[in-house]
Amino acid sequence: MDELRRLLWFPPYNKSIRAMAGNFIQDELDALKRQGLYRKLRRVEGEQGATLLLDGREVLNFSSNNYLGLANHPALKKAAKEAIDHYGVGAVASRLISGNMALHEELEEKIAGLKGTEAALVFNSGFQANVGIIPTLAGEGDVIFSDALNHASLIDGCRLSRAKTVVYPHCDLARLEDELKRAPATGRKLIVTETLFSMDGDEAPLAELVELAERHGALIMVDEAHATGVLGPNGAGVVAKVGVGDRILVQMGTLGKALGGFGAYVAGSHALRELLINRCRSFIFTTSLPPPVLAAAIAAVDLLYQEPQRRLALWHNCRALREGLRKLRFCLGQSESQILPLIIGDSQKCMTFSERLLEKGVFAQGIRPPTVPEGTSRLRITLMATHTHEHLHRALRTFEEVRGEF
Ligand SMILES: *Cc1c(COP(=O)(O)O)cnc(C)c1O
């Protein structure tokens, strides 16, 4: 019998909970399975590297956001260990009570320096940042314009804000302009977009977006989760690459992807930082990041300057795998980045493709709705600086073999 069914029918639940919950929980799980949307966890043992010990087998890892390979960099490990010895393991209070440690402020200065902003503020995670920042900036009577492919945390931030939210088709500036014209003259207008899109690997047209926003009196918030550490000068992101930092109200990004650790940041003006400290509920009502995590993030930002060869290696690998897959006539969308969406379409077929790859030792996660729109299920292939030529070659061969089976 199914693991979950067992959990439901045996203790610790008593009889009346089993009677009440048993039906709807199991019904929902069965429905997910019928739709090919059922998910389960896989287990990684050992380090998050270019290869991975996954459910007991070594596989090539094309499913991680450890783009620069920093998650197991000796400098980050050393910094985290030293921080534990010096500060202990936890901050044990929120920032506004007694949890604001020297390391939080040191990291914030480093991030502001990298982004070229007046100030920065660290958040516990990207998800927490987004669900807190958006309601701080917009509320009832305001209108938010949100790209159709924005991350779930941005969508939830819009919902929590109680502002009217207009979802515009992915990167469609003409439609966005129509919507901006239609918005009421009163209230704020806030455009929210990712810079490097997490599931498609394409970039928002920031230069044009900034022009459009200024013409219509709208503010912009960008999410650089996948661009931070990877794109722009020293990995400062797409905003720095395009050179529009002074025209964007909020730049948020995460520390748990290319930077290899955990956490998130907001970069912007001093006033923005102060407003968030005073008003942002997901900043105020939570225990702050622990010392080893902060120290690792500080070391990671330093490495962005010290080891530019990591970005070069990543770009080299991206080009090689992209060209190899295109030669094999796989459909990769618009991506020019370290995120390659190999579009399959049907959810069930996508998951079978992913399973077959995994059996042959290549881990490329299948992504289905609701993470991506209906009919666009895909393998989300992500590159790392630490993939070798042999890794890429083996992956290409395996993709070709598995496609042959379909
Ligand atoms: C991963 C991600 C987040 C969430 O960041 P976490 O630190 O993992 O919570 C937010 N936005 C985007 C675009 C992401 O890809």
Side-chain angles (χ1 to χ4, degrees):
M1 208 198 276
D2 207 30
E3 190 74 7
L4 273 153
R5 199 182 287 268
R6 251 190 38 233
L7 278 174
L8 276 175
W9 296 111
F10 288 91
Y13 293 131
N14 75 15
K15 215 162 122 191
S16 68
I17 279 206
R18 274 183 261 157
M20 286 186 294
N23 295 335
F24 88 82
I25 294 177
Q26 195 58 51
D27 288 352
E28 203 151 310
L29 289 169
D30 291 344
L32 286 171
K33 285 181 188 167
R34 275 197 307 279
Q35 296 158 40
L37 299 178
Y38 180 74
R39 301 167 184 234
K40 53 181 191 267
L41 299 171
R42 299 185 211 278
R43 188 156 98 175
V44 172
E45 276 152 75
E47 289 197 345
Q48 297 283 352
T51 63
L52 212 55
L53 199 55
L54 187 73
D55 294 330
R57 288 174 53 232
E58 181 163 299
V59 297
L60 287 179
N61 184 7
F62 288 96
S63 292
S64 156
N65 303 318
N66 187 17
Y67 304 127
L68 299 176
L70 297 188
N72 35 37
H73 193 291
L76 272 75
K77 292 184 184 176
K78 179 162 173 280
K81 286 177 196 159
E82 285 175 4
I84 290 176
D85 289 339
H86 201 265
Y87 297 100
V89 295
V92 290
S94 66
R95 293 279 297 274
L96 279 164
I97 308 294
S98 60
N100 184 41
M101 302 176 75
L103 287 173
H104 292 96
E105 297 191 357
E106 189 184 333
L107 175 57
E108 286 165 353
E109 276 163 31
K110 292 241 181 226
I111 289 169
L114 175 72
K115 305 289 284 186
T117 54
E118 264 182 21
L121 186 67
V122 170
F123 277 75
N124 288 6
S125 75
F127 204 105
Q128 262 180 280
N130 286 338
V131 298
I133 297 164
I134 297 173
T136 306
L137 300 175
E140 243 165 284
D142 300 329
V143 185
I144 301 172
F145 303 85
S146 172
D147 188 284
L149 295 189
N150 275 347
H151 188 262
S153 56
L154 293 167
I155 296 172
D156 288 2
C158 294
R159 288 179 180 155
L160 280 171
S161 75
R162 300 191 194 145
K164 176 174 181 223
T165 301
V166 174
V167 177
Y168 61 91
H170 181 51
C171 292
D172 186 336
L173 295 177
R175 284 285 297 279
L176 173 58
E177 180 149 38
D178 285 347
E179 298 291 354
L180 282 163
K181 281 181 187 154
R182 217 172 295 158
T186 58
R188 276 193 287 276
K189 301 184 191 111
L190 178 69
I191 300 170
V192 177
T193 184
E194 293 181 36
T195 56
L196 180 63
F197 282 86
S198 62
M199 295 297 143
D200 289 68
D202 59 336
E203 273 177 46
L206 266 198
E208 294 83 354
L209 203 63
V210 166
E211 295 288 332
L212 189 61
E214 286 172 359
R215 270 206 306 283
H216 295 279
L219 300 165
I220 301 180
M221 167 178 172
V222 296
D223 178 335
E224 298 244 51
H226 294 273
T228 304
V230 170
L231 292 169
N234 300 310
V238 179
V239 171
K241 185 178 98 172
V242 180
V244 288
D246 58 337
R247 298 160 78 183
I248 286 180
L249 182 69
V250 181
Q251 304 177 47
M252 73 74 66
T254 63
L255 307 170
K257 286 166 180 158
L259 295 190
F262 186 62
Y265 67 83
V266 172
S269 66
H270 281 303
L272 172 69
R273 182 175 186 272
E274 274 178 59
L275 180 69
L276 291 167
I277 291 171
N278 281 276
R279 279 284 169 78
C280 179
R281 293 169 67 82
S282 66
F283 174 86
I284 298 170
F285 299 103
T286 192
T287 301
S288 64
L289 282 179
V293 169
L294 295 163
I298 291 167
V301 176
D302 287 341
L303 282 172
L304 294 182
Y305 301 95
Q306 291 159 5
E307 300 189 350
Q309 69 273 19
R310 286 181 179 266
R311 281 187 295 281
L312 294 180
L314 177 62
W315 294 128
H316 175 84
N317 285 345
C318 290
R319 209 170 314 118
L321 192 69
R322 192 168 60 227
E323 281 169 14
L325 286 169
R326 290 213 164 115
K327 244 184 228 145
L328 294 173
R329 307 204 167 280
F330 281 107
C331 166
L332 296 176
Q334 303 297 310
S335 172
E336 298 285 319
S337 71
Q338 79 278 17
I339 301 167
L340 290 176
L342 196 158
I343 307 290
I344 307 266
D346 177 68
S347 306
Q348 200 80 63
K349 195 168 155 196
C350 177
M351 298 325 277
T352 312
F353 202 111
S354 173
E355 287 301 327
R356 279 301 291 149
L357 285 171
L358 191 57
E359 283 163 25
K360 290 173 171 283
V362 174
F363 181 30
Q365 180 65 47
I367 309 276
R368 295 164 285 185
T371 311
V372 294
E374 285 295 337
T376 71
S377 288
R378 70 205 54 196
L379 302 174
R380 178 177 180 270
I381 304 167
T382 51
L383 274 302
M384 296 171 56
T386 47
H387 283 129
T388 63
H389 178 75
E390 195 273 326
H391 292 152
L392 302 185
H393 185 71
R394 188 142 45 102
L396 283 169
R397 236 181 23 235
T398 312
F399 277 104
E400 193 176 14
E401 277 168 26
V402 171
R403 190 190 36 203
E405 298 173 7
F406 276 74

